Amino acid sequence: MGLWRQLRWRIIAAHMLVVIVGVLTLIVTAETLAARSVDPVLLPVFQSAVIQALVVAALAATIVGLATSILLVREILRPLQQLAASSRRIAGGNYDERVTAPLTDELREVAQSFNQMAETLAQVEHQRVTLIGNVAHELRTPLAGLEGYLEGLLDGVLPGDPETISAMQHEVRRLRKLVDDLQHLSRVEAGQVTIQPHHFDVVALVNRIVAHLRPQLIEQCLQVAIEAPEKEALAYADPDRTAQVLVNLIGNAIRYTPEDRCITIRVRCDPTHVQVVVEDTGIGIPAEALPYLFERFYRVDPSRSRASGGSGIGLTIARHLARAMGGEITAASPGIGKGSVFTLILPRGEIAS
Ligand code: ADP
């Protein structure tokens, strides 16, 4: 029973079955025809000739059948064995493992799918390792700051005055923000953030956010212009998540625009979408950085954005949220020092007639 479960013996048995059935059919047919049409005197001679011919044919068929089954078995089993061995190596953590493409179409397709799966696993593993490295790196900066203050206090180099305590509080806040952002990111990436879409007016939301950010704008002497259609611009999305995305985009525009310049927020509608364009006249983004802006922890100038409290995951979260609402975020910039344009696209809400 054990042998019968093996593909190789099944293939060999199938070939041999064909040979046996062929020979038996020939014997029966030859006997029947001979009994009907051969002279009874010549019958024994004819039968002996037929049997000799059948023995030779059966031998030849058996040899060829065996040879072809062995070749076929090798052709099928070798790639399957290779796949099994490679799967075991991948399961053991060797994500660079790939299999060579066999000659037959069907097996080649299996091998290609396997290699694709291995590639995806390798990428996931790479992202996991990078993520751990990035998180460790991000945590190290505020922790080193705190450690420095504590050592200064213990050695008596720093006075225990409100200024030092406030500086330490600043580092703790950075840590807290980073941990909150990370938690948010993991929930967004796992698709655990609930989106509750409604019809709402994007212009009213933009006005509310700008009013909320007014103190920051005044502090940095930044002008804000809002250009919006006369009528309301209805979107069908989650207003709270949209606000979160816009706060990130406008917050970035404020952070990366020098004093006394301006930020323009345009709300536009087309038949299917509502667009919110946040355009600043700030430091701009080099063309080679644009494709990476939405990747986790990516910063064009790490020291600058870290100093201003940026964790480099705001845009990653924003894009996930925009996509979860059926929208998108894009970024563009004419170059360094020439400002940036971020566009949030949301599905358009139905206008009640
Ligand atoms: P951060 O919290 O560091 O700002 P984000 O994910 O929001 O993280 O942004 C990622 C990076 O994109 C920033 O570090 C910055 O280099 C760049 N960036 C984002 N918005 C702007 C902008 N309006 N102008 C220039 N650079 C920007």
Side-chain angles (χ1 to χ4, degrees):
M1 272 327 258
L3 284 185
W4 187 237
R5 277 209 221 105
Q6 292 182 7
L7 190 59
R8 74 183 72 216
W9 295 116
R10 286 186 177 215
I11 292 174
I12 292 172
H15 277 83
M16 289 305 102
L17 190 67
V18 172
V19 173
I20 292 165
V21 171
V23 169
L24 285 178
T25 316
L26 265 176
I27 291 174
V28 174
T29 320
E31 283 291 331
T32 320
L33 287 178
R36 251 195 258 147
S37 47
V38 176
D39 187 336
V41 183
L42 296 174
L43 196 58
V45 182
F46 179 79
Q47 279 175 333
S48 128
V50 166
I51 285 168
Q52 277 176 30
L54 275 176
V55 169
V56 174
L59 268 176
T62 307
I63 291 167
V64 173
L66 272 176
T68 50
S69 347
I70 288 166
L71 284 177
L72 198 62
V73 162
R74 276 175 56 180
E75 188 141 318
I76 295 173
L77 287 195
R78 202 182 284 162
L80 289 180
Q81 282 162 347
Q82 207 195 347
L83 273 179
S86 294
S87 310
R88 281 193 292 274
R89 280 195 283 273
I90 288 182
N94 184 1
Y95 295 98
D96 294 332
E97 186 70 29
R98 299 290 180 272
V99 292
T100 44
L103 291 176
T104 42
D105 285 351
E106 294 84 351
L107 288 172
R108 193 176 324 117
E109 212 172 292
V110 173
Q112 279 165 353
S113 305
F114 179 90
N115 285 343
Q116 250 168 25
M117 184 200 69
E119 183 73 41
T120 311
L121 281 175
Q123 277 171 10
V124 170
E125 177 61 9
H126 176 73
Q127 282 173 358
R128 191 182 69 83
V129 172
T130 315
L131 179 66
I132 294 173
N134 281 332
V135 171
H137 184 71
E138 295 303 323
L139 288 173
R140 198 173 297 125
T141 315
L143 280 175
L146 270 178
E147 196 178 28
Y149 286 119
L150 283 172
E151 277 172 10
L153 281 172
L154 281 174
D155 297 347
V157 183
L158 284 175
D161 58 8
E163 211 177 305
T164 311
I165 292 172
S166 151
M168 289 173 71
Q169 195 183 29
H170 176 72
E171 297 298 344
V172 172
R173 284 211 182 108
R174 272 173 66 175
L175 264 178
R176 163 128 232 133
K177 180 171 181 314
L178 178 63
V179 172
D180 287 348
D181 280 355
L182 280 171
Q183 192 180 21
H184 199 148
L185 178 69
S186 79
R187 292 190 57 221
V188 170
E189 289 195 329
Q192 287 171 350
V193 173
T194 43
I195 302 288
Q196 293 176 320
H198 302 296
H199 289 96
F200 68 95
D201 180 17
V202 176
V203 182
L205 181 70
V206 168
N207 281 320
R208 272 206 304 280
I209 294 170
V210 171
H212 181 72
L213 295 173
R214 188 71 64 193
Q216 255 178 285
L217 290 159
I218 293 171
E219 197 186 325
Q220 274 192 244
C221 307
L222 291 170
Q223 300 286 323
V224 176
I226 300 176
E227 293 175 13
E230 303 239 313
K231 280 202 226 151
E232 55 182 10
L234 278 188
Y236 184 67
D238 186 321
D240 293 338
R241 304 292 177 204
T242 307
Q244 194 179 337
V245 173
L246 287 174
V247 166
N248 183 276
L249 296 186
I250 303 171
N252 276 351
I254 296 174
R255 192 184 294 165
Y256 300 110
T257 304
E259 286 190 358
D260 295 322
R261 304 240 184 123
C262 78
I263 296 168
T264 309
I265 303 168
R266 282 189 200 91
V267 181
R268 294 196 291 233
C269 294
D270 66 28
T272 49
H273 294 99
V274 177
Q275 291 187 1
V276 187
V277 183
V278 181
E279 184 172 349
D280 64 56
T281 46
I283 60 171
I285 300 162
E288 61 274 14
L290 285 173
Y292 306 106
L293 276 191
F294 296 93
E295 284 185 7
R296 299 182 199 129
F297 299 108
Y298 182 81
R299 301 169 174 113
V300 178
D301 178 353
S303 54
R304 181 174 184 147
S305 50
R306 194 177 285 128
S308 57
S311 56
I313 41 184
L315 285 179
T316 317
I317 294 174
R319 180 172 262 183
H320 274 290
L321 288 177
R323 288 184 175 172
M325 293 188 285
E328 184 55 286
I329 297 187
T330 58
S333 170
I336 299 173
K338 294 181 182 158
S340 316
V341 186
F342 284 83
T343 306
L344 168 66
I345 303 164
L346 292 173
R348 178 124 192 229
E350 280 166 30
I351 304 155
S353 50

